[in-house]
Amino acid sequence: MAVVTISSTFHISKPYSLTRTHLQFRTLIHIPWIDYTHSPRTLLHITAESPATKKVKVRATKELTSEPRYSKSARRFYNENFRESESQRLSKVLAAAGVASRRSCEELIFDGRVTVNGSVCNTPQTRVDPKKDMIYVNGNRLPKKLPPKVYLALNKLKGYICSAAESQTKSALSLFNDYMKSWDKRNPGQPKPRLFTVGWLDVATTGLIIVTNDGEFAQKISHPSSGLSKEYIATIDGTVHKRHLLAISEGTVIDGVHCTPDAVELLPQQPDKTRPRLRIVVHEGRNHEVRELVKSAGLQIYSLKRIRIGAFRLPPDLLLGKYIELKPPQLKALGWGEK
């Protein structure tokens, strides 16, 4: 508690004229939390240099000097419209443009079918900028503005091949003719993508096949290191016994490599299915792997359908020859998250 004592003596020698000697004040104020060993000016300096005050100053300075944080949409708009594009490896640029998978693009470069600024380039690691460099593949100019990435899942028909090459057999990509014709209407101002299949299914096999224009995505999910398993339903022409299942599970040699399935089982008989059906899961992805496994067990395949890749399963209501656009959760099921 503060104790205040004031003693005053007044002596007026002239009207309304007071001097220091005429007016004397004696004041004693005691406040316990004030250090009287320092003068008020010194106390101000000590307070200003205290650690707590320094922290406040540092925090305020950091808030003033730090760069403002922008929203994700604002950063994307800046990157797409104002930021100068950085050079990238030639093979990566070709794959991103949808020319083919990364490995196939490297083969195009090695074969001398790619030119950069008028000169043949045989090095996939060459740094290029599609906005500044003139890049030609098989005589066709690579567009400066790359098309948006497209990811589709197709329920392939029997009799279609997974190739864009000219052939007497129909290409699975021809099932997207209507999609490409309506591209300009749905995506005004955007270049058309060059679609290709990720991996392949033979001409007699139906079911799930992924179609895209993203070469990096195709390389990622088709490479054995991805570890994506593939599930097939094989309809058998004949009777299936336990010995057949054991023979399939033991595997067989394909292209000099012994391949064994992850799982094999006989599905329950259904009223509308007269032939037995096998569920076979593989991860090797070798040519005709499922057909070779069944053949080595002494069975004959009547029909074969792929129903799953990774954690993405072919929608049961997707009719043959139809497709859907893949959303982020479906891409994540294929092992492809946001970049």
Side-chain angles (χ1 to χ4, degrees):
M1 178 177 180
V3 179
V4 180
T5 305
I6 302 177
S7 176
S8 306
T9 303
F10 293 91
H11 176 74
I12 302 176
S13 59
K14 294 182 180 181
Y16 308 104
S17 175
L18 296 177
T19 63
R20 185 181 300 275
T21 58
H22 296 144
L23 182 62
Q24 298 179 358
F25 286 87
R26 187 178 65 189
T27 305
L28 175 61
I29 302 177
H30 177 71
I31 302 177
W33 57 82
I34 294 182
D35 184 3
Y36 286 93
T37 59
H38 301 284
S39 64
R41 185 181 300 274
T42 306
L43 283 174
L44 291 175
H45 285 292
I46 293 174
T47 304
E49 297 299 326
S50 66
T53 308
K54 286 182 178 180
K55 289 181 180 178
V56 174
K57 283 185 176 182
V58 170
R59 189 183 304 112
T61 304
K62 190 176 294 184
E63 291 177 355
L64 292 175
T65 57
S66 61
E67 296 183 358
R69 301 183 66 179
Y70 298 99
S71 66
K72 186 176 180 180
S73 59
R75 295 196 302 270
R76 186 187 302 112
F77 179 82
Y78 170 78
N79 292 335
E80 292 177 353
N81 295 275
F82 300 101
R83 186 179 181 182
E84 293 185 0
S85 61
E86 299 178 355
S87 61
Q88 301 179 37
R89 294 190 304 274
L90 178 58
S91 58
K92 185 175 181 179
V93 170
L94 296 182
V99 173
S101 66
R102 183 80 64 87
R103 183 176 300 176
S104 298
C105 288
E106 291 178 353
E107 293 176 358
L108 290 173
I109 296 171
F110 290 137
D111 292 341
R113 297 160 66 181
V114 180
T115 63
V116 178
N117 297 326
S119 301
V120 175
C121 181
N122 298 106
T123 309
Q125 293 79 17
T126 301
R127 310 292 292 191
V128 296
D129 185 345
K131 292 185 178 180
K132 299 177 181 179
D133 298 318
M134 293 187 299
I135 305 171
Y136 283 81
V137 181
N138 292 328
N140 298 319
R141 172 75 183 272
L142 199 72
K144 293 183 178 181
K145 187 176 182 180
L146 299 180
K149 298 295 187 298
V150 176
Y151 307 95
L152 305 161
L154 170 68
N155 189 356
K156 177 185 163 300
L157 284 163
K158 184 177 181 180
Y160 285 75
I161 62 173
C162 297
S163 174
E166 294 183 2
S167 174
Q168 294 180 351
T169 308
K170 294 180 180 179
S171 170
L173 299 178
S174 65
L175 298 171
F176 295 91
N177 288 341
D178 292 338
Y179 178 84
M180 298 304 295
K181 288 179 181 178
S182 61
W183 175 266
D184 293 334
K185 185 177 181 180
R186 291 181 291 104
N187 304 276
Q190 296 285 353
K192 286 185 178 182
R194 179 190 175 277
L195 301 179
F196 56 88
T197 60
V198 180
W200 64 289
L201 293 175
D202 61 54
V203 67
T205 303
T206 64
L208 177 60
I209 187 74
I210 305 299
V211 178
T212 185
N213 67 329
D214 188 344
E216 186 175 359
F217 164 75
Q219 177 71 10
K220 172 67 167 58
I221 70 170
S222 62
H223 197 273
S225 62
S226 65
L228 294 178
S229 61
K230 302 172 181 64
E231 183 176 343
Y232 294 80
I233 300 297
T235 302
I236 305 301
D237 193 1
T239 305
V240 177
H241 299 284
K242 186 176 180 179
R243 58 183 174 83
H244 295 129
L245 301 179
L246 291 174
I248 295 174
S249 62
E250 290 176 358
T252 187
V253 177
I254 303 174
D255 298 332
V257 178
H258 188 82
C259 300
T260 57
D262 296 342
V264 55
E265 66 172 321
L266 179 63
L267 296 177
Q269 188 73 31
Q270 294 184 354
D272 58 336
K273 306 289 185 183
T274 58
R275 292 181 174 86
R277 296 178 304 137
L278 297 178
R279 171 182 169 269
I280 302 175
V281 180
V282 298
H283 66 274
E284 292 286 345
R286 297 189 176 274
N287 294 344
H288 307 288
E289 182 175 359
V290 175
R291 293 184 181 276
E292 291 295 328
L293 287 169
V294 174
K295 182 180 177 180
S296 66
L299 295 175
Q300 183 177 355
I301 288 182
Y302 175 79
S303 65
L304 184 63
K305 181 178 182 179
R306 181 161 67 187
I307 62 172
R308 179 176 63 82
I309 298 176
F312 176 70
R313 189 173 293 273
L314 183 70
D317 58 345
L318 187 62
L319 301 177
L320 283 169
K322 302 300 180 181
Y323 55 86
I324 60 170
E325 293 193 34
L326 298 177
K327 305 301 181 183
Q330 296 165 323
L331 291 173
K332 186 176 181 181
L334 289 167
W336 187 255
E338 291 187 3
K339 296 193 273 188

